[in-house]
Amino acid sequence: MQLSKRKKPRDSIISQHMQEWPEIYSPCFWTSTSVLIQLVFITSIVAQFLFKRIRWCRQRLKTATPESNKHSNQEQKNADIKLGLSYQASKVCCLLILATHVLRIFFLQLQGRISGCKYPPFVLGEGIQVLSWIILSLAVFSLRKTKSAKHPLIIRAWLVLSFLQSIISLIFDLRFTLSDHGYMGFAELMDLFTLVICTYLFAISVRGKTGITLINSSITEPLLSPSAGQQTETKRTSLYGKASVLDLVTFSWMTPLFVIGYKKPLDKNDVPDIDERDYADLLSDSFKRILADVEHRHGLSTLSIYRAMFLFIRRKAILNAVFAILCACASYVGPSLINDLVKFLGGERKNGLQKGYLLAVAFLSAKVVETIAERQWIFGAQRLGMRLGAALISHIYQKGLRLSCGARQKHSSGEIINYMSVDIQRITEVMWYTNYIWMLPIQLSLAVYVLHLNLGAGAWAGLAATLAIMTCNIPLTRLQKRLQSEIMAAKDNRMKATTEVLRSMKILKLQAWDTEYLQKLEALRREEHNWLWKSVRLSALTTFIFWGSPAFISSITFGTCILMGIPLTAGTVLSALATFRMLQDPIFTLPDLLSVFAQGKVSADRVAQYLQEEELKCDAITEVPRNDTDYDVEIDHGAFSWEPETTSPTITDVNLKVKRGKKVAICGVVGSGKSSLLSCILGEMPKLAGTVRVSGSRAYVPQTAWILSGNIRDNILFGNPYDREKYQKVIQACALTKDIELFANGDLTEIGERGINMSGGQKQRIQIARSVYEDADIYLFDDPFSAVDAHTGGQLFEDCLMGMLKDKTILYVTHQVEFLPAADLILVMQDGKIVQKGTFDDLLQQNIGFEDIVGTHSQATESVINAESSSRILSTEKKGGIGKTIYWAYLTAVHGGALAPIIVAAQSFFQIFQVAGNYWMAWACPPTSATTPRVGLGLIFFVYIVLSIGSALCVFGRSMLVSLVGLLTAEKFFKNMLHCILRAPMAFFDSTPTGRILNRVSNDQSVLDLKMADSLGWCAFSVIQILGTIGVMSQVAWPVFVIFIPVTAICYVFQRYYIPTARELARLQQIQRAPILHHSAESLTGAASIRAYGRKDRFSKANISLVNNHLRPWFHNVSAVEWLCFRLNMLSNFVFAFSLTLLVSLPEGFINPSIAGLAVTYALNLNGQLSSVTWNICNTENKMISVERIMQYSRIPSEAPLIVDDHCPPNRWPKDGTINIRNLEVRYAEHLPSVLRNISCTIPGRKKVGIVGRTGSGKSTLIQALFRIVEPRQGTIEIDNVDLSKIGLHDLRGRLSIIPQDPTMFEGTVRGNLDPLNEYSDQHVWELSKMGKTGVSDRQLFCLGRVLLKRSNVLVLDEATASVDSSTDAIIQKTLREEFGDCTVLTVAHRIHTVIDSDLILVFSEGRIIEYDTPSRLLEDKNSEFSRLIKEYSRRSKGF
């Protein structure tokens, strides 16, 4: 009664409105309007046809046709056409609608009126309709003849109007049926059929394409072949780009890819292209333009970057929001109709079964609309995130190439890689959750409306309870945001340290420091783990609150209704329960929404802060046209500093003019500012005062070789076209011919991180060859000859600098004085100033300080010349399914998997309690307000509360256990992986890109930390949920259980069809992500070289190409999920329709209407649950790839044991340092040739042995074999009769000392760098801590300090003084003679004077010992290799 009273005012308002405008609600009015519109359409078509015929006649009267038109017409005529499915469907649809209108006229004899309209208007209207559709059908058929790819505008307009007209007709049909007839007749069915066809034609009109495709080989073939040196890709078609509207709605455009993926594992070349509108270059350019415009208007700030992001996504975001709102509205149609359904089943059947079937149609239509809208908005949101992510990644990369030195120090490579991987991922997740901002209020409003219809004022209690729970999120979200900031900071620290360790792995192993740094990484992980534990506990608490919220809200609402005396019937209770279940989505989403926004805000702030960092100033140097000046480099009163705020500049009072074609040498002691002066000319160092003018292109060779992953040729060409003749000249001039011949694949041999272990000299010569091939105007060499031997260095100087580059302007830093006399101008640097300049002879005569540098060198040269005189007298990814062992290993990682059954049991009891509570309310409440309840209201409410509390406790236990087990499992996997990586042999690091390792310890580990446990848990939870739903539905109507059998089989088929493709797409997505991070890390390391060569655009394009390669599998992986979900949702809609039809068709009284209503309440969520089961299984398999990848790195073959208890060397070992080498053979990999061949020799104890030979002859390999960095293939090495292969690695490496070729410093204190293990007292360290910290040479002095602390009886110098000036070299040599006079010293050297006073000389060539004797005896033989090296050195040093 109350409900009918509430409806009366609304009905009277509608009736009054209809009385005021009666003609608008008359079907005859709309029929007449339709006739008028059709007449306009027919007139327009006829006029257009006549106009074309007149124009054709005029053209025929012309004597000649323009040649261009002839050619165009001929092309159009010759082109073949392909008739698509949409075109064929359009023809069929037009004919079907024409047939329906003809049938309507034919059956007019059977009825006196149609849809409430009398005979004359109807006949006129239908006659005009027939004529219109005849004309339209002819027009559609003629499209094939005209080969039109698009529909004319007039046809598209007519199709839209027809769609609107069919909707209006159906509305009047339903009104006419409900008010008069009570059943649907022929005309109503015809209108419904017409609406379905018109809907498709409406979609065709919106798309605009006819479905006709022109095919012409001359057009489709590429006109130009890609030029040499460019990165090319196979041109792929975009399935998404050419999909029809129907394909887009149903995601059928993905089917061809599934067909391929089902037949064989997908390869990266099988994945189609993305839509051209989603290309990373277009997105990057668009974002750059928007950001520039925002920056121009509002300045650059965090807020302006947010504004630019919003402007970038706003258009597609609005369309996406429309779908999301439509989905939210459609989802509440079901709960609002449940009360009506229960009443119908309870006996209200005035119109027979018609009302029941109409209710079923309404239920089903709402679910179909909800399914389509939901799939579209979710897909659109993820695509939107993909677009923003691609734009930001490319922008972050480009920013990295432009960062100033000060900004670069604030952001390490590890942090920037984190921005690209973790932060961008979190920002893109925000796009998906953004739609909930407007969906939540709509869902809440609709929920309150439905509750108010059923429960009256009790709805406000439900709203208050809902808002109270949502309010709880505010402090929880604030805490979660703070925890996320702490997690990201801890993760940054760990990634920074991990990057440093991976970069310095060789020195860690040589010094036996790997265990110490492993403990440091574990300590950083413990800090991260503590924050993660707090975060997951908080997440478990929020999960408990919001899983229990439906029961809490329903308890509050029903309790309020009982207190207020509002009657609770089965229908109202079930409608309320269905609404509460729908409310669970916004309530359950809200904590995720706030958490994701908290994480996204932190990440977006970090990225925005990074994008605001200072860039290199464009005005640091002035580019001068070459025709305007004779000077290539000019610096007037220059003052420069790495820190612009400082009062003491790094370089000051610089006045320099370098004429074109001149050679300028820069020398000075360590830390005097030589490298910094080159940085000034490159524009790398901030300018404080003065001007720098540069005329011409530049090539730069840094002191430390920068080699890209790839082959030798690519590194030398550096993006330039391949000129064979020029290339061969460069190879010969850079002394690379012999090296390339030794490589198995010649100049196509892979180098860098992926390739074989090349020597420092080989890498340096490749870098020099790159600069020579560049053919620049100005060359800047930062002491590149220090890494090569004396002979090779002399050859490079003569053939390159004085040969191929004789006409170029060259500024070269050198510590080797023998290269100074050839310079036209010499600059002597001291304390950041040019203290002397002039020719070599001029500087010697000035007698100010230059002679100190030369004098030190002369002493060394003299020792060589004296020795010469006395001698005259005397170096994949897996495919296929995830094995069960991976799942089992994950499940049993903690306590043998004992907690997993407890978690499943807790979720099962939660489901049982929840179903029992709802079943109790449906059974106990009376069907109508007039019926007497079975039990008292107090008992009803008490039992419901008890069951709700039980379900809440179960879900709380489950949440806490999942969080605990998930994090403990992640921690165990991380430790296993970290231990395996740090214990891996050096060959693993030589052949594995750093980016690939970082990807596992960053992205994959994040999946295990935060997602894997929940994902795996949801597999079980969703199965338990759907079993509960099936149980409830089957109890009411057992045929529902029968139909679930084929439905389950179909789901299984879909899953088996989906998983192979989705799994490979997910794996390819991970594989294609690593090159982006690796390329970015490489580019950041060599940013100065990239800028110097002017290759920023090329590297940015390479980055964009890598991003596109990653987007292809990512986009199709997302689309594959939607393909599956759409089909599963439609399948569940079919089950729902079957269930409703069955319930409606059953005789009255056959079933309890309350329990039937409960079944429908659960069935409303069936589509979500059915897709959830399959989607969770597939999603878990995709996530499990991260577990597989981490396990793969947890099974890396380890090095030999660190300590062997049975073979520990004596405490004072090595005592004498006698080294015996017998039949030693070493190779870096089994498939590679041996680097050392049959090496046998004995090095007496306490002797100094010099090891010399050409670059790549095997000198450094011998040292690696000594330290067991590379294990011998055969043979032995003994020190003091202890076989090195039988003792532990730490016993070996910890007892030997080495100053390596590449000096390495670690972030931290001076003391930490000298003594990382804290083995020595502060007094010992203090004596060595007064060294500077600027150049490479200073870092080498730190290495000297380490060996002085260690005091081993065997010392190895692996080209230790190659990068220091002669003065510093003399200091180091003097220190070594004094401190290690009674030790065995092995010196691998390029500078002959450093080994000339050795007791013995080992000469290597092509991996063999060709000479081994005292220096004097080797020099007696004038044909010996050592004699030739001495002569070469003496010749270059002549005059000192």
Side-chain angles (χ1 to χ4, degrees):
M1 293 296 292
Q2 290 178 2
L3 190 63
S4 62
K5 285 179 182 178
R6 283 198 298 270
K7 288 184 177 178
K8 280 183 180 178
R10 186 173 58 188
D11 294 340
S12 62
I13 291 170
I14 294 173
S15 302
Q16 183 181 357
H17 189 67
M18 291 179 68
Q19 289 171 8
E20 292 175 1
W21 299 93
E23 64 277 5
I24 294 180
Y25 297 94
S26 167
C28 295
F29 168 80
W30 288 104
T31 303
S32 303
T33 305
S34 172
V35 169
L36 180 62
I37 293 171
Q38 290 162 28
L39 287 173
V40 173
F41 166 72
I42 293 170
T43 306
S44 302
I45 286 283
V46 172
Q48 191 176 26
F49 174 76
L50 291 175
F51 176 75
K52 285 184 177 179
R53 295 300 296 178
I54 292 169
R55 190 174 61 179
W56 179 76
C57 291
R58 283 182 177 178
Q59 287 180 349
R60 294 274 301 198
L61 293 173
K62 291 182 181 180
T63 55
T65 303
E67 200 64 35
S68 60
N69 289 349
K70 280 185 182 179
H71 180 68
S72 176
N73 293 337
Q74 189 66 28
E75 276 190 354
Q76 185 79 358
K77 190 174 180 181
N78 291 339
D80 296 326
I81 61 170
K82 179 183 178 182
L83 301 178
L85 183 62
S86 60
Y87 174 70
Q88 304 287 8
S90 300
K91 293 195 299 182
V92 172
C93 289
C94 290
L95 294 176
L96 285 174
I97 294 180
L98 176 61
T100 58
H101 287 295
V102 172
L103 285 173
R104 284 167 72 94
I105 296 176
F106 177 76
F107 283 104
L108 182 62
Q109 307 296 330
L110 303 178
Q111 293 178 323
R113 62 178 184 173
I114 302 292
S115 297
C117 190
K118 296 297 182 181
Y119 186 83
F122 174 78
V123 172
L124 177 63
E126 289 301 319
I128 297 294
Q129 284 275 19
V130 169
L131 180 61
S132 300
W133 283 101
I134 289 173
I135 293 173
L136 186 64
S137 299
L138 292 173
V140 171
F141 275 81
S142 67
L143 292 173
R144 178 175 182 176
K145 184 178 179 181
T146 58
K147 301 178 180 177
S148 301
K150 290 188 176 181
H151 282 293
L153 187 60
I154 189 169
I155 291 180
R156 295 173 67 181
W158 170 243
L159 293 176
V160 172
L161 291 171
S162 298
F163 172 68
L164 296 174
Q165 181 188 349
S166 62
I167 292 176
I168 293 169
S169 299
L170 187 64
I171 290 171
F172 278 106
D173 285 341
L174 292 174
R175 179 183 161 219
F176 186 56
T177 299
L178 295 173
S179 62
D180 254 349
H181 287 203
Y183 64 93
M184 294 182 70
F186 168 77
E188 288 77 13
L189 293 174
M190 282 290 187
D191 282 339
L192 184 62
F193 177 70
T194 304
L195 175 62
V196 174
I197 297 175
C198 283
T199 302
Y200 174 75
L201 292 176
F202 170 73
I204 291 291
S205 67
V206 171
R207 186 166 181 248
K209 295 182 179 180
T210 60
I212 298 173
T213 308
L214 295 178
I215 303 172
N216 191 336
S217 60
S218 64
I219 296 173
T220 57
E221 287 177 2
L223 299 176
L224 293 173
S225 299
S227 59
Q230 289 180 335
Q231 189 172 1
T232 61
E233 291 183 8
T234 307
K235 183 63 179 175
R236 303 173 181 85
T237 57
S238 171
L239 296 177
Y240 178 82
K242 63 177 186 179
S244 64
V245 173
L246 186 62
D247 289 340
L248 293 175
V249 170
T250 62
F251 295 92
S252 298
W253 56 272
M254 276 291 294
T255 304
L257 185 60
F258 280 107
V259 172
I260 298 171
Y262 188 73
K263 291 178 180 177
K264 70 180 186 72
L266 285 179
D267 186 69
K268 64 180 181 180
N269 294 323
D270 296 325
V271 183
D273 204 356
I274 53 177
D275 188 38
E276 59 184 11
R277 291 168 294 182
D278 295 333
Y279 285 165
D281 49 349
L282 298 178
L283 298 173
S284 177
D285 292 342
S286 175
F287 183 74
K288 192 184 296 182
R289 285 194 302 272
I290 292 170
L291 185 58
D293 183 56
V294 171
E295 184 180 353
H296 177 71
R297 293 182 181 181
H298 307 284
L300 189 61
S301 64
T302 302
L303 185 61
S304 63
I305 291 172
Y306 278 134
R307 185 180 282 113
M309 290 183 192
F310 168 73
L311 294 174
F312 179 73
I313 64 170
R314 61 177 176 177
R315 292 183 180 176
K316 293 192 177 295
I318 291 171
L319 178 63
N320 207 26
V322 171
F323 281 117
I325 292 169
L326 181 61
C327 173
C329 294
S331 65
Y332 278 88
V333 172
S336 66
L337 294 176
I338 282 180
N339 195 17
D340 293 327
L341 181 65
V342 172
K343 288 179 180 178
F344 172 80
L345 295 175
E348 292 186 8
R349 304 192 179 190
K350 296 178 182 178
N351 298 321
L353 297 178
Q354 289 295 119
K355 184 179 179 183
Y357 289 132
L358 284 174
L359 282 170
V361 169
F363 270 112
L364 183 61
S365 301
K367 295 304 291 182
V368 171
V369 170
E370 180 190 353
T371 295
I372 294 172
E374 184 181 29
R375 300 275 58 90
Q376 290 301 317
W377 85 252
I378 290 176
F379 172 72
Q382 294 191 84
R383 186 180 175 212
L384 199 62
M386 177 192 80
R387 291 166 62 89
L388 180 60
L392 287 175
I393 284 175
S394 59
H395 211 67
I396 289 171
Y397 176 83
Q398 292 168 22
K399 181 76 176 183
L401 297 182
R402 300 192 302 266
L403 281 181
S404 67
C405 179
R408 186 69 180 82
Q409 290 175 350
K410 294 180 188 176
H411 303 273
S412 67
S413 296
E415 287 175 322
I416 297 173
I417 295 301
N418 243 1
Y419 300 150
M420 288 186 172
S421 56
V422 178
D423 290 306
I424 294 299
Q425 183 179 348
R426 290 184 173 177
I427 291 171
T428 55
E429 284 177 357
V430 171
M431 296 298 102
W432 193 83
Y433 279 91
T434 300
N435 284 305
Y436 283 107
I437 294 174
W438 31 86
M439 285 176 71
L440 286 176
I442 291 172
Q443 288 173 319
L444 280 176
S445 302
L446 290 172
V448 171
Y449 172 74
V450 173
L451 288 174
H452 194 268
L453 282 179
N454 292 290
L455 301 176
W460 302 113
L463 177 63
T466 304
L467 293 176
I469 290 178
M470 289 184 168
T471 306
C472 294
N473 282 286
I474 296 173
L476 294 177
T477 306
R478 286 177 179 170
L479 182 56
Q480 187 69 271
K481 183 178 177 181
R482 187 175 69 82
L483 290 175
Q484 286 301 322
S485 298
E486 298 291 350
I487 288 170
M488 290 307 299
K491 188 182 182 70
D492 278 346
N493 291 334
R494 176 173 65 83
M495 288 301 297
K496 190 175 181 180
T498 305
T499 305
E500 186 178 52
V501 166
L502 292 175
R503 190 180 64 240
S504 312
M505 185 56 69
K506 191 171 183 179
I507 188 64
L508 293 180
K509 289 185 177 296
L510 287 170
Q511 300 283 6
W513 292 344
D514 42 355
T515 304
E516 178 69 19
Y517 277 84
L518 171 64
Q519 291 171 2
K520 287 186 178 181
L521 291 178
E522 287 180 334
L524 290 170
R525 172 64 182 180
R526 277 195 297 274
E527 182 184 352
E528 183 185 6
H529 177 269
N530 291 336
W531 293 115
L532 282 168
W533 175 227
K534 292 177 182 178
S535 178
V536 297
R537 276 189 298 177
L538 185 62
S539 298
L541 177 62
T542 55
T543 302
F544 157 69
I545 292 171
F546 295 104
W547 267 97
S549 59
F552 172 74
I553 296 170
S554 57
S555 301
I556 295 294
T557 306
F558 293 150
T560 304
C561 290
I562 291 171
L563 291 175
M564 295 177 67
I566 299 172
L568 293 176
T569 63
T572 57
V573 166
L574 290 172
S575 181
L577 286 174
T579 305
F580 295 144
R581 287 174 71 86
M582 299 303 296
L583 268 178
Q584 189 177 10
D585 182 49
I587 292 174
F588 184 67
T589 304
L590 186 63
D592 286 343
L593 171 68
L594 297 175
S595 174
V596 166
F597 266 80
Q599 295 177 18
K601 177 71 166 57
V602 171
S603 293
D605 285 345
R606 283 155 51 90
V607 171
Q609 189 63 41
Y610 168 76
L611 293 178
Q612 295 173 63
E613 289 294 351
E614 184 185 14
E615 298 180 4
L616 287 170
K617 303 292 184 184
C618 298
D619 60 351
I621 58 173
T622 304
E623 299 283 351
V624 180
R626 292 184 68 76
N627 296 331
D628 295 352
T629 180
D630 292 330
Y631 293 95
D632 278 353
V633 178
E634 294 180 78
I635 304 177
D636 294 333
H637 301 93
F640 309 87
S641 176
W642 291 115
E643 299 175 5
E645 309 294 331
T646 188
T647 54
S648 54
T650 309
I651 303 290
T652 185
D653 297 333
V654 178
N655 289 282
L656 176 65
K657 286 190 175 184
V658 181
K659 276 196 169 184
R660 191 161 299 153
K662 297 298 182 182
K663 309 292 182 286
V664 179
I666 306 170
C667 62
V669 297
V670 172
S672 59
K674 305 180 296 299
S675 298
S676 296
L677 181 61
L678 294 186
S679 297
C680 302
I681 299 170
L682 290 169
E684 296 289 322
M685 187 185 289
K687 182 177 64 177
L688 303 180
T691 59
V692 181
R693 289 183 291 274
V694 179
S695 176
S697 59
R698 297 175 292 281
Y700 171 58
V701 179
Q703 191 169 357
T704 303
W706 177 62
I707 300 295
L708 290 164
S709 293
N711 57 49
I712 295 173
R713 183 183 294 180
D714 287 342
N715 268 275
I716 294 173
L717 296 180
F718 207 52
N720 289 311
Y722 177 63
D723 182 337
R724 183 176 179 80
E725 185 179 351
K726 177 183 175 183
Y727 181 79
Q728 291 299 332
K729 287 181 180 177
V730 171
I731 292 295
Q732 190 172 358
C734 295
L736 282 167
T737 307
K738 196 167 185 180
D739 298 276
I740 289 175
E741 288 173 356
L742 290 173
F743 296 137
N745 296 320
D747 63 349
L748 298 180
T749 301
E750 295 286 322
I751 56 174
E753 282 195 337
R754 301 175 197 273
I756 61 173
N757 192 3
M758 286 190 167
S759 69
Q762 288 168 329
K763 291 179 180 178
Q764 192 66 275
R765 280 180 285 139
I766 289 169
Q767 186 176 230
I768 295 170
R770 175 196 302 158
S771 69
V772 176
Y773 193 87
E774 182 69 16
D775 197 22
D777 300 315
I778 304 168
Y779 283 81
L780 305 171
F781 291 99
D782 191 359
D783 196 19
F785 308 118
S786 60
V788 298
D789 58 82
H791 173 75
T792 307
Q795 183 182 345
L796 285 170
F797 189 82
E798 290 180 5
D799 295 348
C800 285
L801 271 69
M802 298 301 166
M804 290 193 72
L805 306 180
K806 61 182 178 181
D807 298 324
K808 306 290 185 179
T809 303
I810 301 174
L811 291 88
Y812 60 96
V813 172
T814 183
H815 291 135
Q816 289 150 292
V817 182
E818 60 267 27
F819 296 141
L820 295 179
D824 299 305
L825 177 67
I826 298 173
L827 307 179
V828 181
M829 301 288 296
Q830 185 176 342
D831 298 329
K833 296 180 180 179
I834 300 176
V835 293
Q836 287 178 278
K837 65 171 70 171
T839 64
F840 185 81
D841 294 333
D842 292 342
L843 292 179
L844 280 178
Q845 292 172 6
Q846 289 179 17
N847 195 25
I848 297 176
F850 180 66
E851 75 283 353
D852 293 340
I853 299 172
V854 178
T856 307
H857 177 75
S858 299
Q859 293 172 11
T861 308
E862 185 179 351
S863 65
V864 174
I865 295 172
N866 290 340
E868 189 178 13
S869 304
S870 62
S871 70
R872 289 195 189 106
I873 300 170
L874 301 168
S875 310
T876 340
E877 295 287 343
K878 181 180 175 287
K879 286 189 177 184
I882 304 293
K884 293 178 183 177
T885 54
I886 305 293
Y887 287 94
W888 185 250
Y890 184 83
L891 287 170
T892 58
V894 176
H895 302 304
L899 295 176
I902 299 174
I903 293 171
V904 173
Q907 180 66 22
S908 301
F909 279 111
F910 164 76
Q911 187 70 21
I912 290 168
F913 284 134
Q914 197 178 53
V915 170
N918 294 337
Y919 193 93
W920 167 258
M921 290 297 291
W923 176 83
C925 290
T928 63
S929 56
T931 308
T932 305
R934 291 187 175 93
V935 294
L937 291 177
L939 181 61
I940 292 174
F941 190 61
F942 175 75
V943 173
Y944 185 73
I945 289 290
V946 169
L947 292 172
S948 298
I949 292 172
S951 66
L953 291 175
C954 288
V955 80
F956 176 73
R958 186 263 289 173
S959 301
M960 291 301 295
L961 283 174
V962 168
S963 300
L964 174 66
V965 173
L967 196 57
L968 288 175
T969 305
E971 190 66 15
K972 186 171 182 179
F973 272 82
F974 177 80
K975 284 186 176 178
N976 290 342
M977 175 177 63
L978 188 65
H979 280 253
C980 278
I981 289 175
L982 266 72
R983 290 285 293 115
M986 201 61 213
F988 169 76
F989 300 98
D990 291 333
S991 60
T992 306
T994 303
R996 191 175 296 171
I997 303 173
L998 291 175
N999 210 13
R1000 277 163 172 82
V1001 298
S1002 177
N1003 280 348
D1004 291 325
Q1005 187 59 41
S1006 289
V1007 170
L1008 263 72
D1009 286 341
L1010 299 170
K1011 296 179 180 179
M1012 190 66 247
D1014 287 335
S1015 183
L1016 193 60
W1018 265 105
C1019 284
F1021 307 156
S1022 56
V1023 170
I1024 292 168
Q1025 270 191 320
I1026 200 168
L1027 287 176
T1029 300
I1030 293 171
V1032 172
M1033 292 177 68
S1034 300
Q1035 186 186 6
V1036 176
W1038 62 265
V1040 173
F1041 183 77
V1042 175
I1043 201 172
F1044 262 109
I1045 296 172
V1047 166
T1048 304
I1050 295 171
C1051 285
Y1052 179 78
V1053 170
F1054 275 139
Q1055 181 182 332
R1056 291 296 95 196
Y1057 196 62
Y1058 161 85
I1059 283 181
T1061 300
R1063 180 182 57 235
E1064 294 307 321
L1065 286 172
R1067 185 173 280 125
L1068 286 171
Q1069 168 191 332
Q1070 292 282 4
I1071 292 170
Q1072 295 295 339
R1073 185 181 186 84
I1076 299 175
L1077 306 182
H1078 176 60
H1079 177 260
S1080 301
E1082 273 188 343
S1083 302
L1084 291 169
T1085 304
S1089 295
I1090 293 171
R1091 289 190 290 265
Y1093 284 94
R1095 292 291 193 275
K1096 283 193 293 186
D1097 289 342
R1098 173 179 171 258
F1099 274 79
S1100 296
K1101 287 178 182 176
N1103 168 259
I1104 282 170
S1105 176
L1106 293 171
V1107 171
N1108 281 332
N1109 288 342
H1110 173 247
L1111 292 185
R1112 284 192 298 110
W1114 189 94
F1115 174 76
H1116 289 92
N1117 189 30
V1118 166
S1119 305
V1121 173
E1122 299 308 317
W1123 178 93
L1124 176 68
C1125 288
F1126 179 83
R1127 279 147 184 78
L1128 293 176
N1129 285 349
M1130 295 307 288
L1131 195 62
S1132 62
N1133 290 340
F1134 163 72
V1135 175
F1136 184 50
F1138 175 83
S1139 306
L1140 280 174
T1141 307
L1142 189 65
L1143 291 174
V1144 168
S1145 303
L1146 290 173
E1148 184 178 347
F1150 185 81
I1151 56 171
N1152 185 338
S1154 301
I1155 304 303
L1158 179 66
V1160 174
T1161 302
Y1162 272 85
L1164 283 173
N1165 296 305
L1166 184 63
N1167 63 341
Q1169 290 175 356
L1170 191 62
S1171 60
S1172 177
V1173 170
T1174 305
W1175 187 85
N1176 279 314
I1177 291 172
C1178 301
N1179 183 50
T1180 300
E1181 179 147 3
N1182 290 343
K1183 292 278 190 297
M1184 196 58 71
I1185 292 173
S1186 293
V1187 178
E1188 180 193 39
R1189 285 158 58 86
I1190 287 178
M1191 285 183 65
Q1192 185 184 6
Y1193 274 28
S1194 302
R1195 298 168 179 167
I1196 304 167
S1198 179
E1199 283 187 305
L1202 299 179
I1203 296 174
V1204 180
D1205 294 330
D1206 297 338
H1207 293 87
C1208 288
N1211 291 333
R1212 295 184 176 275
W1213 180 87
K1215 187 176 182 182
D1216 297 323
T1218 302
I1219 303 172
N1220 292 314
I1221 303 173
R1222 290 194 295 271
N1223 302 321
L1224 186 67
E1225 185 172 332
V1226 174
R1227 61 175 61 174
Y1228 285 109
E1230 285 300 319
H1231 64 282
L1232 295 175
S1234 296
V1235 182
L1236 296 180
R1237 304 177 183 87
N1238 196 25
I1239 302 294
S1240 295
C1241 67
T1242 299
I1243 298 173
R1246 307 182 189 278
K1247 297 291 184 182
K1248 310 293 182 292
V1249 178
I1251 304 174
V1252 297
R1254 276 177 50 84
T1255 303
S1257 59
K1259 306 184 298 296
S1260 294
T1261 304
L1262 177 65
I1263 303 306
Q1264 292 187 53
L1266 183 66
F1267 282 82
R1268 291 178 64 188
I1269 297 295
V1270 182
E1271 294 286 354
R1273 185 166 178 265
Q1274 66 181 42
T1276 59
I1277 304 177
E1278 293 180 354
I1279 299 180
D1280 289 349
N1281 298 318
V1282 174
D1283 189 344
L1284 302 188
S1285 63
K1286 293 182 179 179
I1287 63 175
L1289 293 181
H1290 271 195
D1291 284 335
L1292 168 64
R1293 296 167 183 170
R1295 306 287 185 93
L1296 307 183
S1297 294
I1298 184 170
I1299 301 180
Q1301 183 175 357
D1302 300 319
T1304 303
M1305 293 284 287
F1306 299 94
E1307 185 173 335
T1309 62
V1310 171
R1311 194 197 195 292
N1313 269 279
L1314 289 171
D1315 180 26
L1317 305 184
N1318 284 323
E1319 293 179 316
Y1320 306 102
S1321 65
D1322 291 341
Q1323 184 179 357
H1324 277 88
V1325 177
W1326 180 251
E1327 295 172 0
L1328 299 165
S1329 62
K1330 299 177 181 179
M1331 305 175 189
K1333 293 177 66 178
T1334 51
V1336 172
S1337 305
D1338 295 321
R1339 297 201 291 272
Q1340 201 64 282
L1341 292 176
F1342 268 89
C1343 296
L1344 174 62
R1346 291 167 185 162
V1347 300
L1348 288 173
L1349 278 174
K1350 202 170 187 181
R1351 296 285 179 180
S1352 171
N1353 284 331
V1354 175
L1355 172 64
V1356 176
L1357 308 176
D1358 188 4
E1359 298 175 5
T1361 60
S1363 300
V1364 301
D1365 59 85
S1366 297
S1367 301
T1368 309
D1369 187 9
I1371 294 170
I1372 292 175
Q1373 296 299 333
K1374 181 182 177 183
T1375 305
L1376 292 174
R1377 280 193 293 270
E1378 291 174 355
E1379 301 292 336
F1380 295 93
D1382 58 345
C1383 299
T1384 302
V1385 180
L1386 305 181
T1387 306
V1388 177
H1390 289 151
R1391 296 182 180 179
I1392 297 298
H1393 69 266
T1394 59
V1395 296
I1396 197 66
D1397 59 347
S1398 299
D1399 300 312
L1400 293 165
I1401 298 291
L1402 259 175
V1403 183
F1404 274 82
S1405 178
E1406 298 180 13
R1408 300 179 187 276
I1409 297 176
I1410 58 172
E1411 295 171 5
Y1412 180 41
D1413 212 329
T1414 61
S1416 57
R1417 287 184 181 174
L1418 289 175
L1419 290 172
E1420 287 176 3
D1421 182 1
K1422 296 181 180 179
N1423 295 321
S1424 69
E1425 181 67 22
F1426 186 64
S1427 295
R1428 282 198 289 270
L1429 289 172
I1430 290 291
K1431 288 175 184 176
E1432 170 67 24
Y1433 190 82
S1434 301
R1435 184 179 61 78
R1436 288 192 287 111
S1437 304
K1438 189 176 180 181
F1440 297 101

